[in-house]
Amino acid sequence: MSKRTRRPAPATGATQPTVTVCRGCCCGTPKVPGLDHSAQLRDLRQALDGTATVRVTDCLDACERANVIVVQPSADGRQNGGRPVWLGLVNDPDAVPGITTWLKGGGPGLSDPPGILDLYAFRPSRAFKRNSTMHDPDARPVCRPSSANRLGGHPMNPDLPERRGSADPIRSADDRCRV
């Protein structure tokens, strides 16, 4: 038997819900008019500070439903049966209060979403699920340099032609991660 003392196993899953906001080729760009995309992201971050982790990702490959937000449960929510909830066409400023109210109540698995979010909920395609870690609660974002789009084409499939979105002044180098 080893003389070393055993360290406790690391906890799995996030202690709080995670909100992934797509800001790729269509989401967060002028292709979706009538919404201040920077303000939407700023409002989410401010409202959920200390309640949920908000991260920005490149294209989630659900462009027909731009703007896309994915809400992942906390570890406790996952234990209670919570699963990631995909929200599409989140192009109304009134959607942010519904999302924040739900997450302040615990989010997926711990509280029911407000009825208004039923209008936005959808299931991602099977092809996306096969090629993504988004459905894996223990997955971590894969970060890459901001020049990846210029060098490798589409972030989810390098064989596709390059897709460019508008520059988002809120994004930092740490935000340029994809799941």
Side-chain angles (χ1 to χ4, degrees), residues 52-89:
T53 301
V54 178
R55 64 183 181 179
V56 175
T57 187
D58 278 338
C59 187
L60 288 172
D61 210 22
C63 299
E64 68 281 0
R65 298 179 190 270
N67 289 331
V68 177
I69 295 176
V70 182
V71 180
Q72 293 178 277
S74 64
D76 290 340
R78 174 66 74 169
Q79 284 182 325
N80 286 330
R83 296 292 177 259
V85 176
W86 288 67
L87 304 171
L89 301 172

Side-chain angles (χ1 to χ4, degrees), residues 98 112-121:
D112 291 328
I116 189 75
L117 294 185
D118 289 342
L119 297 172
Y120 304 107

Side-chain angles (χ1 to χ4, degrees), residues 34-55:
L35 178 67
D36 185 345
H37 302 283
S38 298
Q40 182 188 47
L41 184 58
R42 184 185 61 242
D43 293 347
L44 265 173
R45 284 185 166 154
Q46 287 174 351
L48 295 174
D49 188 34
T51 303
T53 301
V54 178
R55 64 183 181 179

Side-chain angles (χ1 to χ4, degrees), residues 16-156:
Q16 58 187 11
T18 301
V19 177
T20 303
V21 180
C22 182
R23 286 295 183 255
C25 65
C26 296
C27 299
T29 70
K31 291 179 183 179
V32 180
L35 178 67
D36 185 345
H37 302 283
S38 298
Q40 182 188 47
L41 184 58
R42 184 185 61 242
D43 293 347
L44 265 173
R45 284 185 166 154
Q46 287 174 351
L48 295 174
D49 188 34
T51 303
T53 301
V54 178
R55 64 183 181 179
V56 175
T57 187
D58 278 338
C59 187
L60 288 172
D61 210 22
C63 299
E64 68 281 0
R65 298 179 190 270
N67 289 331
V68 177
I69 295 176
V70 182
V71 180
Q72 293 178 277
S74 64
D76 290 340
R78 174 66 74 169
Q79 284 182 325
N80 286 330
R83 296 292 177 259
V85 176
W86 288 67
L87 304 171
L89 301 172
V90 185
N91 304 324
D92 184 353
D94 294 333
V96 171
I99 294 168
T100 57
T101 299
W102 180 35
L103 289 169
K104 287 182 179 182
L110 299 177
S111 65
D112 291 328
I116 189 75
L117 294 185
D118 289 342
L119 297 172
Y120 304 107
F122 74 98
R123 290 182 183 258
S125 69
R126 287 183 182 175
F128 178 77
K129 282 184 172 182
R130 263 194 317 271
N131 298 324
S132 171
T133 59
M134 195 64 170
H135 62 282
D136 182 357
D138 298 321
R140 299 290 178 247
V142 177
C143 296
R144 55 188 167 66
S146 61
S147 61
N149 275 352
R150 286 181 276 136
L151 299 175
H154 187 274
M156 295 301 285

